[in-house]
Amino acid sequence: MGPLERLRKEWFILGIVLVIAVARLEPGVGVKGGPLKPEITITYIAVSAIFFNSGLSLKTEELTSALMHVKLHLFVQIFTLVFFPTAIWVFLQLLSITPINEWLLKGLQTVGCMPPPVSSAVILTKAVGGNEAAAIFNSAFGSFLGIVITPLLLLLFLGSSSSVPFTSIFSQLFMTVVVPLIIGQIVRRYIKDWLERKKPPFGAISSCVLLMIIYTTFCDTFANPNIDLDKFSLIIIVFIIFSVQMSFMFLTFLFSTRNNSTFTPADTVAIVFCSTHKSLTLGIPMLKIVFAGYEHLSLISVPLLIYHPAQILLGSLLVPTIKSWMVSRQKAQKLTRQPKAPVKV
């Protein structure tokens, strides 16, 4: 990851801390029914803007080269959207007897249900020199799958508020996620050359809109006198999140490098990052839709807000180690493939 990219990521993490602090000081501004009118500006306009921006920036032509690597795609998507949420659910059955805040535990389950992100997994795969095309394809394809599968998983594992009917959730997701994404892709076809020349800061735009969403979410929390977050639960959740990430990265690494595996070292890099990273950009708007009316929505959001910077931090720290492993593995494979020179008589 280059210094500019690292700076942008650090800026976003600092931004999360800042907007939560501002929400704590003045929750009345962004609260539901407040001056910002988040029930309209955030629920519809901001969420639509994020996905229009994603559709505009997504290079669909780059995905076609990775399309045929079916085994890799199947592994990543099954691990992310089936194994991950199921394993977290089993783990949470054990944690449910502990004094950890139940809403933070529900938040851990929502992390498991999220699709892979379009940005961080690709950036880290590129930094290592792994299979970037596969990372782009799986991140984008996982996000598309997530539009349908993530709400189903959330409803399956957690249920939803009775005030939000199932059909309402999907109609809102369709109008604020699918439609803007498609419109963004259509508009991209007509201004593709201009986009290539100017290279607009799509990531920064999405990050700013996302900070607005996070701000209003926490305004609702701090405006509610009944919510109390104990420090013990928060510290334990941070420890669990780092442990889950390390364990799952190690698990995907072991599986993709086993003896009968057909994956290349570059494939393994894409698998490790894409299978274990979770999308904040898709996650926070989706939680606001699926759990509309929950007074504990922001507590449910906390583990995802921790998971996002944690995956970037952990991934960045592991880049040199994974890169040296990949290079040495590739060299070893080249040596084994080289034909032996004939012996001169």
Side-chain angles (χ1 to χ4, degrees), residues 63-214:
L63 308 182
T64 52
S65 61
L67 193 62
M68 301 311 292
H69 211 330
V70 178
K71 189 179 175 184
L72 188 150
H73 308 326
L74 275 175
F75 176 79
V76 171
Q77 300 307 328
I78 290 170
F79 189 95
T80 308
L81 296 169
V82 179
F83 177 81
F84 202 129
T86 307
I88 292 291
W89 182 81
V90 171
F91 184 47
L92 291 182
Q93 301 313 300
L94 301 173
L95 290 179
S96 62
I97 58 170
T98 67
I100 300 170
N101 186 294
E102 65 167 313
W103 298 104
L104 288 179
L105 291 180
K106 287 179 188 293
L108 270 179
Q109 185 64 69
T110 68
V111 170
C113 298
M114 292 301 154
V118 177
S119 56
S120 61
V122 176
I123 291 162
L124 290 168
T125 301
K126 187 176 183 179
V128 173
N131 189 338
E132 190 186 349
I136 291 169
F137 179 87
N138 278 285
S139 295
F141 184 57
S143 294
F144 280 112
L145 280 180
I147 292 166
V148 177
I149 294 175
T150 295
L152 286 172
L153 290 172
L154 290 171
L155 293 167
L156 173 69
F157 287 110
L158 296 164
S160 178
S161 58
S162 56
S163 60
V164 183
F166 190 78
T167 50
S168 170
I169 292 168
F170 280 96
S171 60
Q172 193 174 338
L173 278 172
F174 185 77
M175 292 308 296
T176 58
V177 177
V178 182
V179 172
L181 206 58
I182 293 168
I183 292 171
Q185 282 282 284
I186 292 167
V187 171
R188 180 182 171 80
R189 289 181 63 185
Y190 293 98
I191 60 167
K192 185 180 162 187
D193 294 337
W194 180 83
L195 290 172
E196 292 296 325
R197 281 198 317 274
K198 297 291 182 183
K199 299 191 186 307
F202 291 116
I205 294 166
S206 283
S207 295
C208 287
V209 178
L210 201 55
L211 287 175
M212 275 183 62
I213 296 172
I214 293 165

Side-chain angles (χ1 to χ4, degrees), residues 163-305:
S163 60
V164 183
F166 190 78
T167 50
S168 170
I169 292 168
F170 280 96
S171 60
Q172 193 174 338
L173 278 172
F174 185 77
M175 292 308 296
T176 58
V177 177
V178 182
V179 172
L181 206 58
I182 293 168
I183 292 171
Q185 282 282 284
I186 292 167
V187 171
R188 180 182 171 80
R189 289 181 63 185
Y190 293 98
I191 60 167
K192 185 180 162 187
D193 294 337
W194 180 83
L195 290 172
E196 292 296 325
R197 281 198 317 274
K198 297 291 182 183
K199 299 191 186 307
F202 291 116
I205 294 166
S206 283
S207 295
C208 287
V209 178
L210 201 55
L211 287 175
M212 275 183 62
I213 296 172
I214 293 165
Y215 167 69
T216 56
T217 301
F218 276 84
C219 281
D220 282 336
T221 302
F222 296 128
N224 188 338
N226 301 322
I227 289 176
D228 181 39
L229 177 59
D230 62 290
K231 289 177 184 176
F232 166 77
S233 292
L234 194 59
I235 292 165
I236 295 295
I237 290 295
V238 171
F239 174 75
I240 290 169
I241 283 169
F242 274 97
S243 301
V244 164
Q245 282 191 33
M246 285 297 291
S247 302
F248 283 1
M249 286 177 87
F250 185 62
L251 193 63
T252 51
F253 178 81
L254 281 182
F255 187 87
S256 58
T257 55
R258 70 196 193 286
N259 290 333
N260 60 341
S261 171
T262 56
F263 298 126
T264 66
D267 291 341
T268 295
V269 174
I271 286 168
V272 167
F273 289 127
C274 291
S275 300
T276 57
H277 279 212
K278 293 293 184 175
S279 176
L280 184 71
T281 310
L282 188 65
I284 293 293
M286 205 168 274
L287 289 180
K288 281 192 82 75
I289 294 168
V290 177
F291 296 105
Y294 264 57
E295 65 172 352
H296 296 284
L297 170 62
S298 58
L299 288 186
I300 293 173
S301 307
V302 165
L304 186 57
L305 290 171

Side-chain angles (χ1 to χ4, degrees), residues 28-47 172 176 212-213 216-217 220 288-289 292-293:
V29 177
V31 78
K32 193 175 180 180
L36 274 182
K37 299 288 180 198
E39 61 272 22
I40 297 168
T41 56
I42 300 299
T43 305
Y44 295 100
I45 300 170
V47 175
Q172 193 174 338
T176 58
M212 275 183 62
I213 296 172
T216 56
T217 301
D220 282 336
K288 281 192 82 75
I289 294 168

Side-chain angles (χ1 to χ4, degrees), residues 19 58 79 115 185 201 223 236 245 318 324 328 333:
V19 295
L58 204 61
F79 189 95
Q185 282 282 284
I236 295 295
Q245 282 191 33
L318 289 171
S324 63
S328 62
Q333 286 183 349

